[in-house]
Amino acid sequence: QAEDGIRDVERSRGLGDVYKRQVLYYWDYISPLQNYGYLGAFFVGFLAGSSLPLPLPYLVVTFTFGGVLNPALVGVASGLGAGIGGTLVFLFGRGGSKLLPNFGLLSSDPDQPLSPRMSRLLDWAHRRGSIVVFIMSAMLNPMFAPMAITMGAIRFRLAKFFFWCSAGNIVKSLFIAYCGYFGLGTLLRWLEVF
């Protein structure tokens, strides 16, 4: 039995059952969002990507929309919204780079050389940052916002960040939407609800 109380049935088959139970639990809240369709998926993705501290069931909404709408379009809309939201977090870091000299990370004097360790770190981030942004965006993790703020603070290119952040979020959202399509969609068609 899981600690969250969701998988309290003895014959639970894992994560798919957890999502199905959450969808059934949130169905009264999610079903009116169907009227907004892909724009709703985009907006929910934007709110989730911008790291606003809102109790938003982003995964459940994307999963559900993937089950009742076209999962490819849901994944792209939701992922693009999350990419734009993540880019806003990046821009917050870009504006906050003026605070970094106060913490001893970067020098306020551009002529003063950086420490060798900081110089290597910045060089690595500029050369390999695209991979980091893509992977951190494609995973479900709480470390995205600190990474996005840091990438903004070290002046990573905006267009490059937006592209890789959107690409990672689209991959993540497509995966979740197709899980909804094959899981929830099949269940609803079997129950003749949809």
Side-chain angles (χ1 to χ4, degrees), residues 13-142:
R13 292 186 308 261
L15 191 59
D17 285 349
V18 172
Y19 277 138
K20 288 174 193 171
R21 286 191 184 91
Q22 286 181 345
V23 167
L24 294 175
Y25 178 78
Y26 285 113
W27 187 254
D28 291 337
Y29 303 109
I30 294 172
S31 60
L33 291 175
Q34 281 187 123
N35 298 332
Y36 297 106
Y38 305 110
L39 183 62
F42 174 84
F43 185 68
V44 167
F46 172 77
L47 288 176
S50 64
S51 297
L52 295 173
L54 297 174
L56 185 67
Y58 162 71
L59 297 175
V60 175
V61 170
T62 304
F63 182 85
T64 304
F65 277 15
V68 296
L69 298 172
N70 182 333
L73 295 177
V74 168
V76 170
S78 180
L80 191 59
I84 292 171
T87 303
L88 289 179
V89 175
F90 169 84
L91 290 173
F92 176 75
R94 172 85 47 105
S97 65
K98 293 175 180 52
L99 297 174
L100 290 178
N102 297 335
F103 293 109
L105 297 175
L106 294 176
S107 172
S108 59
D109 182 13
D111 296 329
Q112 183 179 1
L114 296 171
S115 70
R117 184 185 322 172
M118 184 55 86
S119 181
R120 280 193 313 270
L121 178 66
L122 291 175
D123 183 53
W124 180 84
H126 282 289
R127 285 187 291 118
R128 305 275 191 250
S130 301
I131 296 168
V132 172
V133 172
F134 177 80
I135 291 172
M136 295 292 280
S137 298
M139 292 177 11
L140 299 171
N141 66 64

Side-chain angles (χ1 to χ4, degrees), residues 16 20 63 67 177-189:
K20 288 174 193 171
F63 182 85
Y178 271 102
C179 284
Y181 176 75
F182 290 115
L184 177 67
T186 303
L187 176 69
L188 292 178
R189 283 187 287 279

